[in-house]
Amino acid sequence: MEYRETEIEGVYIIEPRVFSDARGYFMEAWKESEFTAHVGPVHFIQDNESKSGYGVLRGLHYQKGAASQAKLVRVIKGRVVDVAVDLRRSSPTFGRHVMVELSDENKRQLFIPRGFAHGFLVLSDEAVFTYKVDNPYAPQEDAGIRWDDPELAIEWPIDPHEVQTSEKDLKQPLLRDAELFE
C-alpha cells in the first residue's frame, strides 16, 4: 500500500495495491504492521458500514473528549467525496479540510485521526461505505458541525438543493459555536 500524508498533518490517503485478472481482483485492505509503520499505532475496535443513495450527505460528525474517534474509511460500492475537518484549536490547520474521492474503482482509503469532524457525500446512485474506528460510539459525546458552514468553505460537488441529510445534521452548530478540541 502507498501512504500519502495530506496537507493536514495526520490525515493520510492510502492507495492499496490491486492485483486484477480475468477472475476479478485481490487486495489487502488493511494490514496492521504496515499501517503502524506509516501512520503509527491505532487500535481499531469496530467496523461500521452504511448504505446511502445519491445526494445523501452524512456529517460532519465527531465525538468529543476521550470518546473521540480515529477512522479509516473506504467505499465498497459506488462513489463519494469524503471530508475531514481539523477541529484542533491548537493546530496550524484548524478549520481547514481535506476532501478526497473514494470509490469502488479507485479503492482509496482515508485515515482521519482523532480531533477531526468527518462527513461524506454520495455521488453515485448508491454507495456502501465502511469504516474502522478506535473508540465505541458514545451518544453523550456525539457532536457535529454544519456541512454548509460558510467559514469552512467546503465546495461540495453537487447543488446544495440536491443534498439529502438528516434533521439532526441540519441542526448542527456552525464551527464558531461548536464544542471543539484543544
Side-chain angles (χ1 to χ4, degrees):
M1 285 187 252
E2 179 184 343
Y3 290 76
R4 292 192 328 263
E5 192 166 28
T6 67
E7 62 274 8
I8 297 181
E9 184 179 351
V11 179
Y12 286 83
I13 296 171
I14 302 166
E15 304 261 2
R17 281 185 221 97
V18 181
F19 302 94
S20 300
D21 63 22
R23 301 168 295 166
Y25 71 89
F26 170 85
M27 67 178 223
E28 289 180 346
W30 184 75
K31 187 174 186 179
E32 184 178 25
S33 61
E34 234 181 80
F35 188 88
T36 299
H38 289 90
V39 176
V42 177
H43 179 68
F44 293 115
I45 62 161
Q46 182 175 321
D47 282 359
N48 300 318
E49 183 174 301
S50 68
K51 177 180 166 187
S52 306
Y54 175 80
V56 169
L57 193 148
R58 295 183 185 261
L60 299 163
H61 303 145
Y62 63 99
Q63 290 192 171
K64 301 175 288 188
S68 181
Q69 294 177 319
K71 297 178 179 176
L72 179 61
V73 302
R74 69 187 184 112
V75 170
I76 295 172
K77 178 183 180 185
R79 186 168 67 103
V80 308
V81 289
D82 198 84
V83 173
V85 179
D86 189 348
L87 299 183
R88 304 166 299 176
R89 288 187 195 275
S90 60
S91 170
T93 54
F94 171 73
R96 289 188 31 210
H97 66 276
V98 169
M99 178 184 280
V100 63
E101 184 175 307
L102 306 175
S103 72
D104 57 357
E105 289 186 17
N106 69 28
K107 304 199 182 347
R108 283 187 194 121
Q109 299 179 61
L110 186 66
F111 173 71
I112 305 154
R114 292 180 180 200
F116 283 73
H118 171 254
F120 66 91
L121 172 67
V122 179
L123 301 177
S124 52
D125 290 341
E126 179 180 274
V128 176
F129 188 89
T130 184
Y131 55 104
K132 296 181 175 308
V133 295
D134 72 339
N135 233 346
Y137 175 67
Q140 70 280 9
E141 300 299 335
D142 188 47
I145 53 176
R146 290 272 311 198
W147 64 273
D148 58 351
D149 183 340
E151 187 177 342
L152 298 177
I154 299 171
E155 294 184 23
W156 299 100
I158 69 170
D159 185 305
H161 296 97
E162 292 183 82
V163 170
Q164 302 173 52
T165 193
S166 70
E167 193 65 33
K168 173 185 155 187
D169 287 346
L170 290 173
K171 294 178 181 176
Q172 297 290 5
L174 298 174
L175 177 65
R176 69 173 175 254
D177 301 320
E179 189 176 336
L180 304 174
F181 300 89
E182 290 309 315

